[in-house]
mmCIF file of all heavy atoms in Angstrom:
data_model
loop_
_atom_site.group_PDB
_atom_site.id
_atom_site.type_symbol
_atom_site.label_atom_id
_atom_site.label_comp_id
_atom_site.label_asym_id
_atom_site.label_seq_id
_atom_site.Cartn_x
_atom_site.Cartn_y
_atom_site.Cartn_z
ATOM 1 N N PHE K 38 -27.543 -0.109 -21.665
ATOM 2 C CA PHE K 38 -27.951 -1.393 -21.097
ATOM 3 C C PHE K 38 -29.456 -1.635 -21.232
ATOM 4 O O PHE K 38 -30.007 -2.506 -20.569
ATOM 5 C CB PHE K 38 -27.540 -1.480 -19.627
ATOM 6 C CG PHE K 38 -26.053 -1.532 -19.428
ATOM 7 C CD1 PHE K 38 -25.342 -0.367 -19.175
ATOM 8 C CD2 PHE K 38 -25.366 -2.725 -19.540
ATOM 9 C CE1 PHE K 38 -23.966 -0.398 -19.012
ATOM 10 C CE2 PHE K 38 -23.989 -2.767 -19.375
ATOM 11 C CZ PHE K 38 -23.282 -1.599 -19.122
ATOM 12 N N TYR K 40 -30.952 -3.069 -23.555
ATOM 13 C CA TYR K 40 -31.239 -4.382 -24.137
ATOM 14 C C TYR K 40 -31.584 -5.418 -23.070
ATOM 15 O O TYR K 40 -32.249 -6.422 -23.347
ATOM 16 C CB TYR K 40 -30.066 -4.869 -24.990
ATOM 17 C CG TYR K 40 -28.842 -5.276 -24.218
ATOM 18 C CD1 TYR K 40 -28.619 -6.610 -23.884
ATOM 19 C CD2 TYR K 40 -27.895 -4.332 -23.833
ATOM 20 C CE1 TYR K 40 -27.505 -6.989 -23.179
ATOM 21 C CE2 TYR K 40 -26.772 -4.702 -23.120
ATOM 22 C CZ TYR K 40 -26.569 -6.026 -22.806
ATOM 23 O OH TYR K 40 -25.453 -6.390 -22.107
ATOM 24 N N ARG K 48 -26.864 -7.736 -27.411
ATOM 25 C CA ARG K 48 -25.674 -6.972 -27.795
ATOM 26 C C ARG K 48 -24.463 -7.888 -27.902
ATOM 27 O O ARG K 48 -23.354 -7.395 -28.083
ATOM 28 C CB ARG K 48 -25.378 -5.896 -26.734
ATOM 29 C CG ARG K 48 -26.459 -4.879 -26.509
ATOM 30 C CD ARG K 48 -26.757 -4.039 -27.719
ATOM 31 N NE ARG K 48 -25.662 -3.179 -28.088
ATOM 32 C CZ ARG K 48 -25.561 -1.896 -27.710
ATOM 33 N NH1 ARG K 48 -26.503 -1.348 -26.976
ATOM 34 N NH2 ARG K 48 -24.534 -1.167 -28.104
ATOM 35 N N GLY K 49 -24.699 -9.203 -27.775
ATOM 36 C CA GLY K 49 -23.558 -10.104 -27.709
ATOM 37 C C GLY K 49 -22.624 -10.024 -28.900
ATOM 38 O O GLY K 49 -21.420 -10.123 -28.766
ATOM 39 N N ASP K 51 -22.192 -7.463 -30.987
ATOM 40 C CA ASP K 51 -21.846 -6.083 -31.314
ATOM 41 C C ASP K 51 -20.413 -5.823 -30.837
ATOM 42 O O ASP K 51 -20.164 -5.602 -29.664
ATOM 43 C CB ASP K 51 -22.826 -5.133 -30.622
ATOM 44 C CG ASP K 51 -22.637 -3.693 -31.063
ATOM 45 O OD1 ASP K 51 -21.531 -3.360 -31.515
ATOM 46 O OD2 ASP K 51 -23.593 -2.909 -30.943
ATOM 47 N N GLU K 52 -19.457 -5.837 -31.777
ATOM 48 C CA GLU K 52 -18.052 -5.723 -31.412
ATOM 49 C C GLU K 52 -17.740 -4.381 -30.752
ATOM 50 O O GLU K 52 -16.989 -4.308 -29.781
ATOM 51 C CB GLU K 52 -17.184 -5.908 -32.652
ATOM 52 C CG GLU K 52 -15.697 -5.915 -32.347
ATOM 53 C CD GLU K 52 -14.859 -6.224 -33.576
ATOM 54 O OE1 GLU K 52 -15.410 -6.787 -34.548
ATOM 55 O OE2 GLU K 52 -13.666 -5.894 -33.558
ATOM 56 N N GLU K 53 -18.336 -3.311 -31.280
ATOM 57 C CA GLU K 53 -18.092 -1.984 -30.705
ATOM 58 C C GLU K 53 -18.592 -1.920 -29.263
ATOM 59 O O GLU K 53 -17.962 -1.338 -28.386
ATOM 60 C CB GLU K 53 -18.795 -0.921 -31.557
ATOM 61 C CG GLU K 53 -18.556 0.495 -31.056
ATOM 62 C CD GLU K 53 -19.252 1.534 -31.915
ATOM 63 O OE1 GLU K 53 -19.779 1.174 -32.982
ATOM 64 O OE2 GLU K 53 -19.273 2.711 -31.493
ATOM 65 N N TRP K 54 -19.739 -2.572 -29.022
ATOM 66 C CA TRP K 54 -20.289 -2.590 -27.661
ATOM 67 C C TRP K 54 -19.389 -3.366 -26.712
ATOM 68 O O TRP K 54 -19.129 -2.931 -25.588
ATOM 69 C CB TRP K 54 -21.692 -3.196 -27.671
ATOM 70 C CG TRP K 54 -22.219 -3.532 -26.304
ATOM 71 C CD1 TRP K 54 -22.367 -4.759 -25.755
ATOM 72 C CD2 TRP K 54 -22.621 -2.597 -25.296
ATOM 73 N NE1 TRP K 54 -22.849 -4.673 -24.481
ATOM 74 C CE2 TRP K 54 -23.024 -3.346 -24.167
ATOM 75 C CE3 TRP K 54 -22.695 -1.208 -25.242
ATOM 76 C CZ2 TRP K 54 -23.481 -2.759 -23.004
ATOM 77 C CZ3 TRP K 54 -23.147 -0.612 -24.082
ATOM 78 C CH2 TRP K 54 -23.540 -1.381 -22.972
ATOM 79 N N VAL K 55 -18.877 -4.509 -27.178
ATOM 80 C CA VAL K 55 -18.026 -5.332 -26.321
ATOM 81 C C VAL K 55 -16.785 -4.560 -25.887
ATOM 82 O O VAL K 55 -16.334 -4.657 -24.743
ATOM 83 C CB VAL K 55 -17.623 -6.635 -27.052
ATOM 84 C CG1 VAL K 55 -16.549 -7.390 -26.282
ATOM 85 C CG2 VAL K 55 -18.849 -7.526 -27.243
ATOM 86 N N THR K 56 -16.220 -3.753 -26.778
ATOM 87 C CA THR K 56 -15.001 -3.015 -26.448
ATOM 88 C C THR K 56 -15.266 -1.815 -25.534
ATOM 89 O O THR K 56 -14.340 -1.311 -24.891
ATOM 90 C CB THR K 56 -14.298 -2.524 -27.725
ATOM 91 O OG1 THR K 56 -15.200 -1.686 -28.463
ATOM 92 C CG2 THR K 56 -13.880 -3.703 -28.592
ATOM 93 N N SER K 57 -16.525 -1.352 -25.481
ATOM 94 C CA SER K 57 -16.814 -0.154 -24.683
ATOM 95 C C SER K 57 -17.729 -0.418 -23.484
ATOM 96 O O SER K 57 -18.020 0.503 -22.715
ATOM 97 C CB SER K 57 -17.453 0.925 -25.565
ATOM 98 O OG SER K 57 -18.703 0.480 -26.070
ATOM 99 N N ARG K 58 -18.171 -1.668 -23.300
ATOM 100 C CA ARG K 58 -19.170 -1.955 -22.258
ATOM 101 C C ARG K 58 -18.648 -1.656 -20.857
ATOM 102 O O ARG K 58 -19.395 -1.211 -19.979
ATOM 103 C CB ARG K 58 -19.613 -3.418 -22.346
ATOM 104 C CG ARG K 58 -18.472 -4.408 -22.115
ATOM 105 C CD ARG K 58 -18.880 -5.846 -22.348
ATOM 106 N NE ARG K 58 -17.754 -6.741 -22.101
ATOM 107 C CZ ARG K 58 -17.830 -8.060 -22.179
ATOM 108 N NH1 ARG K 58 -18.986 -8.627 -22.487
ATOM 109 N NH2 ARG K 58 -16.768 -8.810 -21.945
ATOM 110 N N GLY K 59 -17.338 -1.892 -20.622
ATOM 111 C CA GLY K 59 -16.771 -1.609 -19.303
ATOM 112 C C GLY K 59 -16.872 -0.132 -18.970
ATOM 113 O O GLY K 59 -17.239 0.248 -17.843
ATOM 114 N N ARG K 60 -16.537 0.710 -19.931
ATOM 115 C CA ARG K 60 -16.626 2.153 -19.702
ATOM 116 C C ARG K 60 -18.066 2.561 -19.438
ATOM 117 O O ARG K 60 -18.339 3.371 -18.545
ATOM 118 C CB ARG K 60 -16.079 2.910 -20.926
ATOM 119 C CG ARG K 60 -16.250 4.428 -20.839
ATOM 120 C CD ARG K 60 -15.557 5.121 -21.995
ATOM 121 N NE ARG K 60 -16.058 4.662 -23.281
ATOM 122 C CZ ARG K 60 -17.188 5.122 -23.846
ATOM 123 N NH1 ARG K 60 -17.938 6.021 -23.225
ATOM 124 N NH2 ARG K 60 -17.562 4.668 -25.031
ATOM 125 N N HIS K 61 -19.021 2.006 -20.207
ATOM 126 C CA HIS K 61 -20.437 2.329 -19.995
ATOM 127 C C HIS K 61 -20.897 1.897 -18.601
ATOM 128 O O HIS K 61 -21.649 2.623 -17.930
ATOM 129 C CB HIS K 61 -21.304 1.658 -21.065
ATOM 130 C CG HIS K 61 -21.195 2.301 -22.420
ATOM 131 N ND1 HIS K 61 -21.610 3.594 -22.662
ATOM 132 C CD2 HIS K 61 -20.721 1.830 -23.599
ATOM 133 C CE1 HIS K 61 -21.402 3.894 -23.937
ATOM 134 N NE2 HIS K 61 -20.851 2.834 -24.524
ATOM 135 N N LEU K 62 -20.457 0.712 -18.163
ATOM 136 C CA LEU K 62 -20.843 0.233 -16.831
ATOM 137 C C LEU K 62 -20.273 1.154 -15.751
ATOM 138 O O LEU K 62 -20.971 1.523 -14.802
ATOM 139 C CB LEU K 62 -20.340 -1.198 -16.627
ATOM 140 C CG LEU K 62 -20.606 -1.806 -15.244
ATOM 141 C CD1 LEU K 62 -22.104 -1.877 -14.960
ATOM 142 C CD2 LEU K 62 -19.974 -3.200 -15.137
ATOM 143 N N ARG K 63 -19.004 1.526 -15.883
ATOM 144 C CA ARG K 63 -18.388 2.433 -14.902
ATOM 145 C C ARG K 63 -19.129 3.759 -14.848
ATOM 146 O O ARG K 63 -19.436 4.271 -13.761
ATOM 147 C CB ARG K 63 -16.917 2.666 -15.261
ATOM 148 C CG ARG K 63 -16.256 3.763 -14.420
ATOM 149 C CD ARG K 63 -14.773 3.888 -14.713
ATOM 150 N NE ARG K 63 -14.478 4.138 -16.100
ATOM 151 C CZ ARG K 63 -14.579 5.335 -16.689
ATOM 152 N NH1 ARG K 63 -15.004 6.384 -15.998
ATOM 153 N NH2 ARG K 63 -14.261 5.487 -17.962
ATOM 154 N N GLU K 64 -19.439 4.336 -15.991
ATOM 155 C CA GLU K 64 -20.130 5.627 -16.028
ATOM 156 C C GLU K 64 -21.533 5.515 -15.455
ATOM 157 O O GLU K 64 -22.021 6.428 -14.786
ATOM 158 C CB GLU K 64 -20.164 6.146 -17.464
ATOM 159 C CG GLU K 64 -18.779 6.548 -17.990
ATOM 160 C CD GLU K 64 -18.794 6.903 -19.471
ATOM 161 O OE1 GLU K 64 -19.817 6.600 -20.143
ATOM 162 O OE2 GLU K 64 -17.793 7.466 -19.958
ATOM 163 N N GLY K 77 -19.518 -1.242 -7.362
ATOM 164 C CA GLY K 77 -18.636 -1.430 -8.510
ATOM 165 C C GLY K 77 -17.214 -1.711 -8.089
ATOM 166 O O GLY K 77 -16.510 -2.526 -8.715
ATOM 167 N N LEU K 80 -17.059 -5.304 -7.208
ATOM 168 C CA LEU K 80 -17.033 -6.135 -8.412
ATOM 169 C C LEU K 80 -15.657 -6.117 -9.074
ATOM 170 O O LEU K 80 -15.259 -7.106 -9.699
ATOM 171 C CB LEU K 80 -18.096 -5.658 -9.407
ATOM 172 C CG LEU K 80 -19.562 -5.866 -9.000
ATOM 173 C CD1 LEU K 80 -20.483 -5.297 -10.068
ATOM 174 C CD2 LEU K 80 -19.863 -7.351 -8.784
ATOM 175 N N SER K 81 -14.923 -5.005 -8.922
ATOM 176 C CA SER K 81 -13.601 -4.919 -9.549
ATOM 177 C C SER K 81 -12.614 -5.896 -8.924
ATOM 178 O O SER K 81 -11.548 -6.140 -9.487
ATOM 179 C CB SER K 81 -13.059 -3.494 -9.450
ATOM 180 O OG SER K 81 -12.624 -3.198 -8.135
ATOM 181 N N ARG K 83 -13.517 -9.050 -8.276
ATOM 182 C CA ARG K 83 -14.090 -10.374 -8.515
ATOM 183 C C ARG K 83 -13.897 -10.816 -9.961
ATOM 184 O O ARG K 83 -14.817 -10.776 -10.773
ATOM 185 C CB ARG K 83 -15.578 -10.371 -8.161
ATOM 186 C CG ARG K 83 -15.909 -10.110 -6.693
ATOM 187 C CD ARG K 83 -15.427 -11.237 -5.798
ATOM 188 N NE ARG K 83 -16.010 -12.511 -6.153
ATOM 189 C CZ ARG K 83 -17.138 -12.990 -5.629
ATOM 190 N NH1 ARG K 83 -17.777 -12.296 -4.693
ATOM 191 N NH2 ARG K 83 -17.607 -14.156 -6.001
ATOM 192 N N PRO K 84 -12.682 -11.244 -10.327
ATOM 193 C CA PRO K 84 -12.455 -11.722 -11.695
ATOM 194 C C PRO K 84 -13.223 -12.996 -12.010
ATOM 195 O O PRO K 84 -13.313 -13.391 -13.170
ATOM 196 C CB PRO K 84 -10.933 -11.965 -11.735
ATOM 197 C CG PRO K 84 -10.561 -12.183 -10.305
ATOM 198 C CD PRO K 84 -11.466 -11.308 -9.499
ATOM 199 N N VAL K 86 -16.351 -13.180 -11.550
ATOM 200 C CA VAL K 86 -17.686 -12.704 -11.941
ATOM 201 C C VAL K 86 -17.622 -11.795 -13.163
ATOM 202 O O VAL K 86 -18.435 -11.901 -14.074
ATOM 203 C CB VAL K 86 -18.350 -11.943 -10.766
ATOM 204 C CG1 VAL K 86 -19.698 -11.372 -11.187
ATOM 205 C CG2 VAL K 86 -18.507 -12.855 -9.564
ATOM 206 N N MET K 87 -16.636 -10.900 -13.172
ATOM 207 C CA MET K 87 -16.564 -9.877 -14.215
ATOM 208 C C MET K 87 -15.443 -10.184 -15.202
ATOM 209 O O MET K 87 -14.361 -10.628 -14.804
ATOM 210 C CB MET K 87 -16.327 -8.488 -13.598
ATOM 211 C CG MET K 87 -17.317 -8.107 -12.522
ATOM 212 S SD MET K 87 -19.027 -8.055 -13.114
ATOM 213 C CE MET K 87 -18.954 -6.644 -14.215
ATOM 214 N N PRO K 88 -15.657 -9.907 -16.494
ATOM 215 C CA PRO K 88 -14.584 -10.098 -17.485
ATOM 216 C C PRO K 88 -13.488 -9.051 -17.317
ATOM 217 O O PRO K 88 -13.717 -7.987 -16.738
ATOM 218 C CB PRO K 88 -15.311 -9.937 -18.824
ATOM 219 C CG PRO K 88 -16.534 -9.146 -18.516
ATOM 220 C CD PRO K 88 -16.924 -9.491 -17.118
ATOM 221 N N PRO K 89 -12.289 -9.327 -17.825
ATOM 222 C CA PRO K 89 -11.143 -8.430 -17.605
ATOM 223 C C PRO K 89 -11.363 -6.995 -18.061
ATOM 224 O O PRO K 89 -10.909 -6.058 -17.402
ATOM 225 C CB PRO K 89 -10.013 -9.098 -18.410
ATOM 226 C CG PRO K 89 -10.401 -10.540 -18.473
ATOM 227 C CD PRO K 89 -11.900 -10.557 -18.541
ATOM 228 N N ASP K 90 -12.061 -6.801 -19.195
ATOM 229 C CA ASP K 90 -12.244 -5.429 -19.696
ATOM 230 C C ASP K 90 -13.099 -4.603 -18.736
ATOM 231 O O ASP K 90 -12.842 -3.408 -18.522
ATOM 232 C CB ASP K 90 -12.874 -5.438 -21.093
ATOM 233 C CG ASP K 90 -14.240 -6.115 -21.120
ATOM 234 O OD1 ASP K 90 -14.333 -7.284 -20.701
ATOM 235 O OD2 ASP K 90 -15.219 -5.482 -21.556
ATOM 236 N N MET K 91 -14.093 -5.229 -18.115
ATOM 237 C CA MET K 91 -14.939 -4.510 -17.161
ATOM 238 C C MET K 91 -14.187 -4.245 -15.850
ATOM 239 O O MET K 91 -14.330 -3.178 -15.250
ATOM 240 C CB MET K 91 -16.226 -5.294 -16.889
ATOM 241 C CG MET K 91 -17.205 -5.272 -18.042
ATOM 242 S SD MET K 91 -18.808 -5.958 -17.566
ATOM 243 C CE MET K 91 -19.799 -5.512 -19.004
ATOM 244 N N ILE K 92 -13.397 -5.212 -15.417
ATOM 245 C CA ILE K 92 -12.623 -5.032 -14.184
ATOM 246 C C ILE K 92 -11.667 -3.847 -14.326
ATOM 247 O O ILE K 92 -11.530 -3.023 -13.420
ATOM 248 C CB ILE K 92 -11.855 -6.317 -13.838
ATOM 249 C CG1 ILE K 92 -12.828 -7.360 -13.267
ATOM 250 C CG2 ILE K 92 -10.733 -6.047 -12.835
ATOM 251 C CD1 ILE K 92 -12.205 -8.673 -12.933
ATOM 252 N N ALA K 93 -11.016 -3.749 -15.499
ATOM 253 C CA ALA K 93 -10.077 -2.643 -15.720
ATOM 254 C C ALA K 93 -10.780 -1.298 -15.585
ATOM 255 O O ALA K 93 -10.222 -0.337 -15.035
ATOM 256 C CB ALA K 93 -9.444 -2.770 -17.101
ATOM 257 N N GLU K 94 -12.011 -1.206 -16.066
ATOM 258 C CA GLU K 94 -12.755 0.048 -15.971
ATOM 259 C C GLU K 94 -13.251 0.299 -14.547
ATOM 260 O O GLU K 94 -13.172 1.413 -14.035
ATOM 261 C CB GLU K 94 -13.946 0.032 -16.938
ATOM 262 C CG GLU K 94 -13.564 0.176 -18.406
ATOM 263 C CD GLU K 94 -13.119 1.590 -18.753
ATOM 264 O OE1 GLU K 94 -13.415 2.514 -17.980
ATOM 265 O OE2 GLU K 94 -12.476 1.766 -19.804
ATOM 266 N N LEU K 95 -13.769 -0.740 -13.901
ATOM 267 C CA LEU K 95 -14.321 -0.569 -12.553
ATOM 268 C C LEU K 95 -13.254 -0.163 -11.545
ATOM 269 O O LEU K 95 -13.555 0.498 -10.551
ATOM 270 C CB LEU K 95 -15.012 -1.865 -12.099
ATOM 271 C CG LEU K 95 -16.289 -2.243 -12.868
ATOM 272 C CD1 LEU K 95 -16.825 -3.586 -12.376
ATOM 273 C CD2 LEU K 95 -17.358 -1.170 -12.725
ATOM 274 N N ARG K 96 -12.013 -0.527 -11.797
ATOM 275 C CA ARG K 96 -10.930 -0.132 -10.898
ATOM 276 C C ARG K 96 -10.685 1.374 -10.923
ATOM 277 O O ARG K 96 -10.000 1.903 -10.052
ATOM 278 C CB ARG K 96 -9.648 -0.885 -11.259
ATOM 279 C CG ARG K 96 -9.663 -2.325 -10.769
ATOM 280 C CD ARG K 96 -8.447 -3.087 -11.233
ATOM 281 N NE ARG K 96 -8.449 -4.449 -10.687
ATOM 282 C CZ ARG K 96 -7.693 -5.442 -11.132
ATOM 283 N NH1 ARG K 96 -6.866 -5.241 -12.148
ATOM 284 N NH2 ARG K 96 -7.761 -6.639 -10.584
ATOM 285 N N GLN K 97 -11.234 2.038 -11.916
ATOM 286 C CA GLN K 97 -11.064 3.492 -12.002
ATOM 287 C C GLN K 97 -12.116 4.250 -11.205
ATOM 288 O O GLN K 97 -12.048 5.471 -11.088
ATOM 289 C CB GLN K 97 -11.135 3.936 -13.473
ATOM 290 C CG GLN K 97 -10.054 3.335 -14.357
ATOM 291 C CD GLN K 97 -10.197 3.785 -15.802
ATOM 292 O OE1 GLN K 97 -10.471 4.948 -16.088
ATOM 293 N NE2 GLN K 97 -10.021 2.848 -16.725
ATOM 294 N N LEU K 98 -13.103 3.527 -10.664
ATOM 295 C CA LEU K 98 -14.146 4.195 -9.886
ATOM 296 C C LEU K 98 -13.548 4.845 -8.647
ATOM 297 O O LEU K 98 -12.788 4.226 -7.908
ATOM 298 C CB LEU K 98 -15.233 3.201 -9.471
ATOM 299 C CG LEU K 98 -16.216 2.773 -10.564
ATOM 300 C CD1 LEU K 98 -17.053 1.589 -10.089
ATOM 301 C CD2 LEU K 98 -17.124 3.931 -10.964
ATOM 302 N N ARG K 354 -14.725 -22.233 -18.463
ATOM 303 C CA ARG K 354 -13.514 -21.424 -18.316
ATOM 304 C C ARG K 354 -12.419 -22.230 -17.629
ATOM 305 O O ARG K 354 -11.236 -22.054 -17.913
ATOM 306 C CB ARG K 354 -13.820 -20.144 -17.530
ATOM 307 C CG ARG K 354 -14.609 -19.129 -18.331
ATOM 308 C CD ARG K 354 -14.792 -17.831 -17.578
ATOM 309 N NE ARG K 354 -13.536 -17.129 -17.383
ATOM 310 C CZ ARG K 354 -13.433 -16.019 -16.645
ATOM 311 N NH1 ARG K 354 -14.496 -15.511 -16.038
ATOM 312 N NH2 ARG K 354 -12.274 -15.412 -16.518
#
Side-chain angles (χ1 to χ4, degrees):
F38 293 95
Y40 71 96
R48 300 297 294 264
D51 187 336
E52 185 175 340
E53 182 180 351
W54 167 253
V55 170
T56 59
S57 63
R58 62 186 181 178
R60 175 174 58 81
H61 287 296
L62 177 61
R63 171 175 57 79
E64 291 173 347
L80 292 178
S81 74
R83 296 294 301 269
V86 177
M87 307 299 292
D90 60 304
M91 287 190 170
I92 285 178
E94 287 287 342
L95 292 177
R96 283 175 177 164
Q97 299 179 42
L98 284 169
R354 287 185 67 186

